[in-house]
Amino acid sequence: MAKPQNQRLIVSTTTSLYETGLLDVLETEFEKKHSSIDVAFLSQGTGLAIQTAMRGDADMILVHDPARELKFLQDGYGVNRKVIAYNFFVIVGPKEDPVGINGLSPVQALTKIKGAGKNGSVEWVSRGDDSGTHTKEKRLWTAGGFSVSDLREKSWYLEAGQGMTATLKLTDEKLAYTLCDLGSYLNNYKKGNIQLEVLVEEGEDTLNVYSAIANNPKHFDLSGTSFNASIRFLDFLISEETQEILADFGNEEFDSPLFNPYIPLLASGSNPEMLQWIQELAYFDGTECPQECRYQEGDLYR
Amino acid sequence: MFDTIMAALGEAFHLIISGNHEVYSIVWRSLGVSGLATLLACLWGIPIAIALGLYSFPGKKLLMSLSNAFLGIPTVALGLLLFLLWSQSGPLGFMSLLYTPIGIAIGQSILITPILVSFTSSALNSTDVEMSDLAKTLGASTFQTNFAIIREALWAILLAVTASFSRAFAELGVAMMVGGNIRNVTRVLTTFIALETAKGEIAFSLALGIILMAIILSITLLLNYCRRE
Amino acid sequence: MSLKLQLNNVSKRYGNTKAIDSISFDAEGNNIIALLGVNGSGKTTLLRTIAGLERADEGSLSINNEELGLPELRKIATLVFQRTVMFSRSVYDNLAFGLRIRGLEKEKIAGEVSKALEAVGLRDLDRRKAKKTSGGEQQRIALARAFLLNPKILLLDEPTANLDVSSAKIVEEIIKNRRTKDCVIILATHNLHQAKRLADEIFHIHEGRILERATPAEFFTNPRNENTKRFINGELQF
């Protein structure tokens, strides 16, 4: 039970992470260890999650959009970024797969979908909400040599402008295709919300990396932030126990883990290819957090 | 806070005069969808209101209580219900209303029917006694008396229609759940605001909110102006 | 032959109280009858019953020996309410209402309306919003609106109660000029002087009954009923 003198730690995070239920598990575990801290999660799109933190209405962020994370750090709002976990985006579509993208690479699949869309035989659903998932989708189209602003004018390119679950339902109803993080997909599939199948699986292009960043207490607007609690939470996230929880999460309910812990991967060096992918995507000049964006980091980067 | 509001006011003004294509098309779609919703609601709401306001019949009390109870129906709950009904796997999936502007309009018309019925019937009710005696003593039949009362309550009814339209125009739940906020198809002002807020475009969202309020205010003022004329 | 109105044992109850209790009387055209009585004595209910706005619980009303129901009564009897009610339309539309209902042609209506407005001295007011006119004007509009229907029974409920002295005088003149053999005028008032000035006959209504029926001269000089005496002396209170 929350006691009034407890410190409050507000973490603004993305809907795709929140909707899986992982954060509830983490909250319980964390509060067991730190009974004087109450954790509250704000589930928002990545854009708003970062804005909320910048206004001082949250103490830290847990998001998946490296480019915007870097900007958050560089603008002086965030310190002590840690890469926590990763998984993959998948392209999902109707079981019958009318376009025939099963087993293709993401870019090949998008190219084929665009061709079919032109003929009016299928639709693509975009999150269209500037979320981390949306950013990833735009990067995939761009990687295939397509202009997103041209695509937006096509009638087969639908922009949902909603969270992942709503977007999946829309895709399901329309028998269309969409890009989705694996966690949200499995969550909705197992609940019977959708009949969509995963058609394009993991690859370098669809890597999805989650990071946590504490608010910078030295920033003028953020002096009231619960910095100590943020550091505790960061320590907690990268601890062995928590990383194990991450690795197990979803096994029971979805017969498949939703996330892969990053710390063991980094420590063991057992999968250099994956490590390289992650660092190419989510490291800035070879580091997960530039030196000048660290503050009282303690053992975080040992 | 103050800065954000000033920025939003400036942005709203800019959006209006610059003729931002996307904003304008969304405004027109919102007006069309909620206008259609209001029209539909009038189609069945006004006759029900006349029955409730001017006639006695068995079940009238029950119908009035029902109508009052549904005044505060949560828009998301209604939206969800319609979503399930109209989903491809739902019982009314064959109607193909999900993710269409018509679907939103029908949902909104259901949403505003209780408001329209309550406001209109109470307008008729409050006009009733003296006016109806006057009409009767001047020789009007029951039908002619009711016609005179409806005519007398016309402005109050128009006000009820306007209030219903405003409710439809400003609601989010049905538009989001039934419409799906699909760009260029079912995106209306409120779902656009929700999206831009989720994206963290606070000033832009607020500007859209200002436009929404300005439209509702203009319609109400226009009605008041016409009434005085 | 002049018009004849008959009431036969007419009663009207509201819940357990009898607002009017077995009232019977005859009245002929070319007569003005004043109903006198304290507030709550049943004057208004009697007027409303004769006007066909209330259904009598017992008894019957007839005109020229023909018993009439509510719709027929409403066609031939018109009540001018104590609190004037105006449709939120122009003065012209207010006057034209009853004629339009009777299906008259447009030109005919225009003629009748201007005649009626002329008679109450409000010729220039026809385009004005009725609700924007003064209390005295509204009372005259209400009278004109009733007059132009040529009702066989004209019922007036406290026609001058809310008016200043000069307006009241104008209204009384208008009522006096309205006397014809095809029309019985019944007016409820609590103003003894008005009854004396206008009426050919005075009914004293008390607790839903007619206690006294007499010409003004008799009524004021030689009332038979004890309660009527007390009423005239101002001793009967509501």
Side-chain angles (χ1 to χ4, degrees):
Chain A
M1 281 302 284
K3 292 183 221 86
Q5 68 268 32
N6 275 6
Q7 201 179 358
R8 197 179 176 89
L9 175 69
I10 300 176
V11 185
S12 62
T13 183
T14 71
T15 48
S16 58
L17 203 49
Y18 187 83
E19 283 167 0
T20 60
L22 169 69
L23 298 178
D24 297 330
V25 177
L26 293 186
E27 179 182 344
T28 313
E29 286 301 313
F30 181 73
E31 287 178 354
K32 250 188 239 168
K33 290 196 173 63
H34 303 275
S35 57
S36 66
I37 300 174
D38 287 335
V39 188
F41 291 102
L42 293 179
S43 158
Q44 301 171 327
T46 302
L48 186 59
I50 292 176
Q51 282 256 341
T52 305
M54 283 168 64
R55 300 165 73 90
D57 296 326
D59 301 301
M60 62 184 297
I61 58 173
L62 192 51
V63 296
H64 60 150
D65 193 338
R68 270 191 283 196
E69 291 162 31
L70 179 63
K71 186 157 192 324
F72 184 67
L73 290 170
Q74 284 175 335
D75 290 350
Y77 287 100
V79 290
N80 301 348
R81 175 176 181 266
K82 285 299 292 182
V83 172
I84 306 299
Y86 65 97
N87 61 10
F88 290 90
F89 288 108
V90 289
I91 295 178
V92 298
K95 193 160 43 186
E96 298 75 19
D97 188 18
V99 180
I101 61 165
N102 202 348
L104 297 181
S105 82
V107 171
Q108 287 172 325
L110 289 184
T111 310
K112 246 185 138 171
I113 288 170
K114 180 174 185 282
K118 258 189 191 161
N119 305 332
S121 56
V122 77
E123 286 166 316
W124 171 263
V125 180
S126 164
R127 280 280 291 274
D129 63 348
D130 269 6
S131 60
T133 309
H134 187 209
T135 307
K136 182 58 126 188
E137 181 219 323
K138 287 190 284 192
R139 286 177 59 150
L140 284 176
W141 284 111
T142 310
F146 306 116
S147 149
V148 175
S149 52
D150 286 351
L151 290 174
R152 292 185 74 196
E153 302 314 316
K154 304 288 189 285
S155 60
W156 56 270
Y157 185 90
L158 304 178
E159 288 183 57
Q162 295 193 79
M164 200 65 248
T165 296
T167 304
L168 281 170
K169 282 186 183 159
L170 173 62
T171 310
D172 193 48
E173 290 286 337
K174 295 264 180 194
L175 299 175
Y177 292 84
T178 194
L179 181 76
C180 175
D181 64 287
L182 187 64
S184 300
Y185 167 76
L186 287 174
N187 189 30
N188 282 290
Y189 185 75
K190 294 292 173 182
K191 281 181 188 156
N193 284 344
I194 51 172
Q195 260 93 57
L196 301 166
E197 296 278 335
V198 172
L199 299 169
V200 172
E201 295 200 58
E202 53 200 69
E204 185 174 3
D205 291 338
T206 52
L207 186 60
N208 182 27
V209 177
Y210 292 96
S211 308
I213 307 177
N215 271 10
N216 181 0
K218 291 174 298 176
H219 191 283
F220 180 74
D221 292 337
L222 306 178
S223 53
T225 194
S226 304
F227 184 66
N228 288 331
S230 302
I231 294 294
R232 297 253 181 84
F233 196 71
L234 280 170
D235 279 331
F236 164 79
L237 285 174
I238 61 172
S239 71
E240 206 173 309
E241 278 173 66
T242 309
Q243 292 280 308
E244 266 174 41
I245 293 175
L246 275 173
D248 286 343
F249 184 76
N251 265 337
E252 203 177 309
E253 201 178 343
F254 309 124
D255 308 319
S256 149
L258 301 191
F259 302 96
N260 307 287
Y262 176 64
I263 308 300
L265 179 80
L266 185 63
S268 69
S270 60
N271 189 348
E273 189 192 27
M274 184 67 74
L275 200 57
Q276 193 195 338
W277 287 359
I278 291 173
Q279 299 193 344
E280 272 171 14
L281 174 72
Y283 269 43
F284 315 126
D285 294 330
T287 175
E288 60 188 313
C289 184
Q291 201 65 43
E292 65 276 16
C293 299
R294 299 180 189 179
Y295 177 67
Q296 297 182 359
E297 68 270 33
D299 292 339
L300 279 175
Y301 298 98
R302 293 267 165 87
Chain B
M1 159 83 192
F2 188 67
D3 290 352
T4 313
I5 290 176
M6 289 315 288
L9 273 171
E11 177 84 47
F13 191 67
H14 176 75
L15 285 176
I16 291 167
I17 55 169
S18 72
N20 180 308
H21 176 70
E22 178 159 33
V23 173
Y24 267 69
S25 72
I26 287 173
V27 166
W28 284 121
R29 184 175 308 116
S30 302
L31 286 170
V33 164
S34 300
L36 180 60
T38 311
L39 217 64
L40 286 172
C42 286
L43 221 58
W44 54 73
I46 300 266
I48 294 174
I50 289 173
L52 285 177
L54 301 180
Y55 294 88
S56 312
F57 52 90
K60 173 172 162 165
K61 278 241 167 73
L62 180 76
L63 197 59
M64 278 180 111
S65 309
L66 265 176
S67 164
N68 286 332
F70 280 106
L71 274 179
I73 185 172
T75 61
V76 177
L78 177 64
L80 183 59
L81 186 72
L82 293 173
F83 179 91
L84 294 174
L85 283 175
W86 290 340
S87 159
Q88 285 307 319
S89 50
L92 301 178
F94 65 90
M95 296 170 83
S96 297
L97 287 169
L98 200 60
Y99 304 129
T100 62
I102 303 282
I104 306 179
I106 294 175
Q108 288 181 343
S109 72
I110 296 169
L111 177 76
I112 62 177
T113 296
I115 300 172
L116 188 66
V117 168
S118 272
F119 284 21
T120 305
S121 66
S122 79
L124 289 170
N125 233 328
S126 63
T127 316
D128 192 0
V129 182
E130 288 184 331
M131 284 295 166
S132 101
D133 279 351
L134 174 62
K136 282 179 196 160
T137 203
L138 295 176
S141 66
T142 310
F143 177 78
Q144 287 165 329
T145 302
N146 288 338
F147 188 79
I149 291 169
I150 292 165
R151 199 183 158 137
E152 200 62 28
L154 199 62
W155 285 108
I157 293 172
L158 276 178
L159 212 63
V161 171
T162 312
S164 307
F165 172 82
S166 302
R167 163 87 160 149
F169 193 67
E171 75 81 33
L172 172 65
V174 171
M176 191 63 101
M177 296 296 298
V178 173
N181 189 28
I182 302 173
R183 184 168 168 269
N184 291 339
V185 183
T186 55
R187 184 163 297 166
V188 293
L189 254 178
T190 50
T191 61
F192 195 27
I193 292 172
L195 169 65
E196 293 301 317
T197 307
K199 281 160 68 174
E201 301 288 345
I202 306 296
F204 187 69
S205 303
L206 210 51
L208 294 173
I210 291 167
I211 292 176
L212 187 145
M213 288 305 299
I215 290 171
I216 290 177
L217 196 67
S218 314
I219 292 172
T220 312
L221 287 178
L222 188 72
L223 184 71
N224 277 332
Y225 176 79
C226 291
R227 179 179 196 174
R228 234 169 268 133
E229 279 310 287
Chain C
M1 191 190 89
S2 72
L3 183 111
K4 194 167 138 200
L5 165 71
Q6 280 181 303
L7 269 75
N8 236 322
N9 285 317
V10 173
S11 296
K12 175 74 193 170
R13 266 185 299 273
Y14 292 117
N16 285 328
T17 53
K18 275 196 165 173
I20 52 176
D21 187 2
S22 310
I23 284 192
S24 303
F25 69 83
D26 294 2
E28 292 202 359
N30 217 17
N31 270 308
I32 297 180
I33 294 169
L35 307 178
L36 275 175
V38 294
N39 287 332
S41 56
K43 295 174 304 208
T44 298
T45 305
L46 180 56
L47 290 182
R48 288 178 60 84
T49 309
I50 300 171
L53 294 176
E54 305 287 348
R55 188 179 297 281
D57 297 317
E58 289 158 30
S60 62
L61 287 100
S62 44
I63 303 268
N64 295 340
N65 299 319
E66 193 183 336
E67 201 176 316
L68 297 179
L70 295 193
E72 294 91 16
L73 274 174
R74 288 179 195 163
K75 288 280 181 212
I76 58 164
T78 302
L79 171 60
V80 177
F81 302 96
Q82 173 174 4
R83 212 181 85 87
T84 53
V85 189
M86 294 284 133
F87 294 118
S88 322
R89 293 159 72 179
S90 68
V91 171
Y92 182 92
D93 286 333
N94 265 274
L95 266 70
F97 183 88
L99 298 175
R100 286 181 181 145
I101 275 172
R102 284 162 177 77
L104 265 69
E105 292 157 32
K106 233 177 168 177
E107 297 78 35
K108 191 102 193 287
I109 292 175
E112 293 289 321
V113 169
S114 63
K115 245 188 351 201
L117 279 176
E118 183 93 53
V120 296
L122 296 175
R123 204 180 42 175
D124 301 330
L125 244 56
D126 58 340
R127 291 288 148 223
R128 286 264 287 284
K129 290 228 178 248
K131 285 194 168 163
K132 298 251 165 83
T133 56
S134 74
E137 286 165 346
Q138 288 193 17
Q139 194 69 47
R140 281 144 77 187
I141 293 165
L143 287 171
R145 190 169 58 188
F147 289 170
L148 92 176
L149 298 176
N150 286 320
K152 292 190 164 44
I153 309 166
L154 179 62
L155 304 155
L156 308 166
D157 195 357
E158 304 280 3
T160 61
N162 304 318
L163 301 183
D164 59 54
V165 181
S166 63
S167 299
K169 215 168 155 191
I170 297 173
V171 167
E172 281 186 15
E173 279 308 306
I174 294 168
I175 294 169
K176 249 193 258 175
N177 293 336
R178 192 62 206 176
R179 195 194 313 246
T180 68
K181 76 175 176 52
D182 293 326
C183 179
V184 179
I185 299 176
I186 304 179
L187 106 134
T189 179
H190 56 247
N191 181 335
L192 303 183
H193 301 292
Q194 184 171 60
K196 200 188 264 180
R197 284 195 297 271
L198 288 179
D200 301 304
E201 222 177 347
I202 297 176
F203 293 6
H204 177 211
I205 311 281
H206 186 67
E207 293 177 348
R209 292 168 169 275
I210 301 177
L211 286 192
E212 179 88 38
R213 174 179 180 170
T215 62
E218 278 176 65
F219 189 88
F220 288 106
T221 53
N222 188 23
R224 280 158 297 183
N225 189 290
E226 278 309 304
N227 275 329
T228 306
K229 271 183 204 160
R230 289 172 59 206
F231 172 71
I232 294 166
N233 295 331
E235 292 162 16
L236 264 190
Q237 296 297 323
F238 171 60

